[in-house]
Amino acid sequence: MADSKRKSLALSASKDFIFSVLALVIYNGVLQLLIYPGLNAQVGAEAFGTVLYLISIVSVMGAGFGTAASYSRMVAKKDRTQENGDYNLFLTMIAGISLVVTFVALFVLKELTVAVYLQIAVLMIVTVFRYYADVEYRMNIRFVRYFAFFTCVSVGYVVGLLLFPYTKSWVLTILMGELFGIIYTVLRGGIFRAPFTKLSTSYRENLRSAWVISASNLISALILNSDRILLRLLVGAREVTVFYTASLIGKIVAMLTTPLNGVIISYFTNYKIKLDKKKFGLISLLMVVLSVIGALACTLVSMVFVKIMYPDVFEETRKYFFLANLGQIMYFISGSLMVIVMSFTKEKLQLIINIIYIAVFAVVVIPATLLFGLDGMAVGLVIVSLVRLLVTAGFGLKKL
């Protein structure tokens, strides 16, 4: 009976992982192969750098707060009571913060107008809700619907791009995808349905958990998008496009760890899966090796992909392929390791690890970028991603 149960669990996990990977492949494939190259062709490399900067600010809010609400609700299902109202209250607070963040992001670019402000603010708020929405499928281990959810988001992006010649708005292109995903969740799920304001008996603990995870996720999201944000503010708009395209294949491959993270936390919260120090140590070592192998493979693919999709910046980009891809892959893989560690530790540990990470980032990456531009950014991101992975592994071993 035990062997039969293990085989059934392994089969279910494999199926869920496949659907998770397919969901993110479609989502990122549409973004990276159609939407971003399409926008770059329409507006040019210089303007596209500014577009990437603003998309990054929006992504930081979505990944920082929307994903935090999602992960908090996953943990709450295991340990506490929870209601839709708990997280609707949290997301309403984040909507208010989004209004301020939008103002600051546009003000520092000196592009603050009422029309642009309203567009970016709406996009940011909707994106936070869309990032939260995937909890509907992970919480209930419904990865077929998870796949359908991201398919809807991707279709929405394509519709938005098709409308671009008429709207001339990249914001609407992205907004269409986020709205399609939310509409699907409203129709097929329960997290966006009444009662909207009913709070659980554990709502204080749930809010506290969401804020703690948000603090950690926000640091991670800022670092993940730091190349575009820092390069736009410290170097220039074209350099944003150059470094983005250099690391693009690494981003696509690394994002495959996102569905893996979803499966990991789903099964660790629904089934009792235990690790020992030896197994965890082997997993950590394997992740370092896979990062280097992955970066080499991504470098070869980038030589072909960037030349075809971004020919106007290929010559400027090629020297950064290996380091830029290595930094991206190592960052994402260390995130997978952190998800494993979170399954047997407190949420606060993730915050501690990321505080260490942001401190190293501030000491290494920012000065390196100021002094050496793109070269400093490329080397600095590899260093801090490796530090994050090693620190996460160290804490994991200690807790085990």
Side-chain angles (χ1 to χ4, degrees):
M1 288 295 290
D3 288 341
S4 176
K5 185 176 181 180
R6 279 196 294 267
K7 288 179 181 178
S8 176
L9 181 60
L11 183 61
S12 297
S14 298
K15 184 186 73 173
D16 292 339
F17 178 67
I18 289 170
F19 274 109
S20 296
V21 169
L22 288 175
L24 271 295
V25 165
I26 289 176
Y27 170 74
N28 286 298
V30 167
L31 271 180
Q32 310 297 351
L33 301 179
L34 290 177
I35 306 304
Y36 289 167
L39 292 175
N40 179 66
Q42 293 280 354
V43 303
E46 186 79 20
F48 186 59
T50 298
V51 171
L52 286 173
Y53 162 81
L54 291 171
I55 288 176
S56 294
I57 299 295
V58 171
S59 296
V60 166
M61 294 296 293
F65 295 108
T67 300
S70 175
Y71 273 76
S72 175
R73 190 158 190 176
M74 290 288 298
V75 175
K77 181 187 177 184
K78 177 183 176 183
D79 300 326
R80 305 181 292 269
T81 59
Q82 38 90 20
E83 294 283 352
N84 290 346
D86 301 355
Y87 296 94
N88 289 339
L89 175 60
F90 175 74
L91 294 172
T92 300
M93 297 177 187
I94 304 308
I97 294 174
S98 296
L99 298 178
V100 178
V101 172
T102 301
F103 178 88
V104 174
L106 292 173
F107 181 79
V108 297
L109 287 186
K110 299 180 180 179
E111 294 189 14
L112 183 62
T113 65
V114 173
V116 175
Y117 174 80
L118 290 175
Q119 289 182 64
I120 301 297
V122 170
L123 175 61
M124 189 177 293
I125 292 168
V126 172
T127 298
V128 170
F129 275 81
R130 198 273 295 167
Y131 270 81
Y132 164 68
D134 70 13
V135 73
E136 174 68 42
Y137 316 104
R138 295 189 297 111
M139 181 171 61
N140 300 305
I141 314 185
R142 293 176 176 173
F143 286 96
V144 174
R145 290 190 180 182
Y146 183 83
F147 169 77
F149 167 73
F150 277 103
T151 300
C152 287
V153 174
S154 302
V155 169
Y157 289 148
V158 174
V159 171
L161 185 62
L162 292 174
L163 293 174
F164 185 87
Y166 309 101
T167 64
K168 303 298 181 184
S169 172
W170 66 266
V171 175
L172 184 61
T173 299
I174 306 300
L175 182 62
M176 290 294 288
E178 313 296 29
L179 287 174
F180 272 44
I182 289 175
I183 290 170
Y184 175 80
T185 304
V186 169
L187 295 175
R188 298 305 303 270
I191 62 170
F192 292 136
R193 293 188 180 180
F196 299 108
T197 58
K198 181 182 178 182
L199 301 177
S200 73
T201 56
S202 302
Y203 83 93
R204 287 188 178 87
E205 292 89 340
N206 293 338
L207 285 176
R208 188 180 304 113
S209 170
W211 282 113
V212 169
I213 297 175
S214 291
S216 180
N217 279 9
L218 199 59
I219 294 171
S220 300
L222 281 168
I223 302 302
L224 178 61
N225 291 277
S226 61
D227 54 344
R228 284 162 280 181
I229 296 173
L230 283 179
L231 287 173
R232 179 61 183 86
L233 296 176
L234 302 180
V235 186
R238 186 176 182 86
E239 285 76 7
V240 176
T241 303
V242 169
F243 196 80
Y244 167 77
T245 54
S247 62
L248 182 53
I249 299 301
K251 288 180 188 292
I252 294 173
V253 172
M255 284 179 183
L256 295 179
T257 64
T258 301
L260 176 60
N261 293 349
V263 172
I264 288 170
I265 196 168
S266 293
Y267 278 86
F268 269 96
T269 54
N270 284 279
Y271 303 97
K272 293 182 178 180
I273 300 175
K274 293 184 178 180
L275 287 172
D276 57 35
K277 285 190 174 184
K278 183 178 179 181
K279 289 179 182 177
F280 183 78
L282 288 173
I283 290 171
S284 302
L285 179 61
L286 180 62
M287 287 184 170
V288 175
V289 174
L290 286 176
S291 296
V292 177
I293 294 173
L296 288 170
C298 289
T299 298
L300 295 175
V301 176
S302 296
M303 295 295 291
V304 177
F305 177 81
V306 176
K307 191 171 183 62
I308 294 172
M309 303 303 293
Y310 296 90
D312 53 333
V313 294
F314 176 74
E315 291 302 325
E316 300 168 72
T317 301
R318 60 190 302 175
K319 64 179 286 192
Y320 301 109
F321 283 154
F322 177 72
L323 287 177
N325 285 313
L326 179 60
Q328 293 297 321
I329 293 173
M330 195 170 287
Y331 177 87
F332 273 87
I333 285 184
S334 67
S336 295
L337 190 64
M338 189 177 293
V339 169
I340 295 174
V341 172
M342 279 180 63
S343 70
F344 58 82
T345 61
K346 301 286 186 180
E347 292 103 319
K348 288 182 179 179
L349 181 60
Q350 185 182 13
L351 177 58
I352 293 170
I353 291 171
N354 280 327
I355 288 174
I356 294 171
Y357 181 47
I358 195 69
V360 177
F361 181 90
V363 171
V364 175
V365 178
I366 295 176
T369 303
L370 283 168
L371 292 171
F372 306 108
L374 287 175
D375 295 312
M377 173 69 72
V379 174
L381 285 178
V382 171
I383 293 172
V384 295
S385 295
L386 178 60
V387 168
R388 183 183 192 229
L389 196 155
L390 295 176
V391 169
T392 303
F395 273 109
L397 289 170
K398 182 179 179 181
K399 292 295 180 180
L400 286 170

